[in-house]
Amino acid sequence: MVDRSARLPTEAEIAEINARHLIETPLQPADLLFVFGTREDVGERVDEACRLWSKGYFRWSIVSGGITPGSNRSECEIIAEVMTARGIPADRILREHRAMNTGENVIFSLPLIDAALGLKNIRSVICLGNTWTARRYPMTLQRHWPEVEKMLVMVDSFKTPRALWHTDPEFRRRILFEWDKIEPYKAKGFIAEWPVN
């Protein structure tokens, strides 16, 4: 895949990304919060997980993410530790420590969720991740776990408002890089269309 993330998007592409990639879903209480691992904006991710917990938006969570270059601790360990320190009970956080990408986040987490909770008992999931990756989280879940209802919550530390992502060079680069993965990943069967109309 050619990296075209340095391009300036057209007005039509900006509108399409805003409408199809940066999807705002109505939020309602869910059975599970799926926290996708990251090295970027960990604080923002934990803040949002804690906010959702305090408002009763989930009963269980899973944090998924392996050890990335330059660290001797998994993304899961780092994120889950702070979530616990901030008041989310440790026994409500399932942990997956091996995943190195979004596909592995889901593939490696599903057996853990099934063993602990039973996949059939989970009807709704809130996906929590970076703004720029956006709908690729629920699209990956849709590919491997189509039965469950999916909601999307995005976080980032950019000062630029989400709708104006294209005006910030780094925000624009990250979103275009992820947006350009969608069709090739669908063609390879890594992800499935979401939301399903």
Side-chain angles (χ1 to χ4, degrees):
M1 185 171 66
V2 176
D3 183 359
R4 300 172 54 240
S5 61
R7 73 186 182 280
L8 291 176
T10 64
E11 289 298 319
E13 189 176 26
I14 292 165
E16 185 178 16
I17 289 170
N18 286 344
R20 295 189 58 223
H21 191 60
L22 303 176
I23 293 174
E24 301 279 347
T25 59
L27 201 56
Q28 56 190 346
D31 296 318
L32 181 73
L33 176 71
F34 199 125
V35 183
F36 287 82
T38 188
R39 289 168 286 171
E40 307 266 357
D41 299 341
V42 170
E44 287 76 9
R45 190 151 322 187
V46 171
D47 287 347
E48 186 62 15
C50 292
R51 185 188 75 79
L52 292 169
W53 173 258
S54 70
K55 294 193 175 295
Y57 276 106
F58 65 93
R59 296 181 296 146
W60 295 92
S61 63
I62 186 159
V63 181
S64 173
I67 296 174
T68 54
S71 180
N72 59 358
R73 300 174 69 210
S74 70
E75 293 173 343
C76 170
E77 182 182 355
I78 293 165
I79 294 168
E81 182 180 282
V82 182
M83 285 171 63
T84 302
R86 298 270 305 275
I88 299 176
D91 64 357
R92 290 289 168 159
I93 304 172
L94 306 176
R95 293 166 171 84
E96 187 291 305
H97 293 277
R98 297 183 301 143
M100 299 304 291
N101 58 55
T102 308
E104 289 183 354
N105 288 139
V106 173
I107 292 166
F108 295 162
S109 292
L110 288 180
L112 300 176
I113 297 166
D114 196 26
L117 308 173
L119 291 177
K120 67 184 182 308
N121 298 319
I122 306 297
R123 294 175 304 281
S124 55
V125 175
I126 297 171
C127 300
L128 174 57
N130 296 320
T131 298
W132 51 91
T133 309
R135 73 176 176 140
R136 201 157 56 78
Y137 298 117
M139 290 181 83
T140 305
L141 264 183
Q142 182 70 22
R143 164 64 179 84
H144 299 282
W145 197 9
E147 303 82 11
V148 76
E149 178 189 355
K150 298 153 198 75
M151 292 165 271
L152 175 61
V153 174
M154 302 171 277
V155 295
D156 62 71
S157 60
F158 287 103
K159 302 294 184 241
T160 305
R162 186 173 296 152
L164 299 177
W165 58 268
H166 55 281
T167 65
D168 179 297
E170 181 57 18
F171 206 177
R172 178 174 63 238
R173 185 194 68 76
R174 290 185 194 186
I175 285 185
L176 291 175
F177 184 73
E178 293 296 334
W179 169 251
D180 287 344
K181 291 178 181 179
I182 297 289
E183 292 307 319
Y185 279 21
K186 276 170 52 178
K188 292 177 181 175
F190 295 164
I191 59 179
E193 192 57 56
W194 179 89
V196 178
N197 297 327

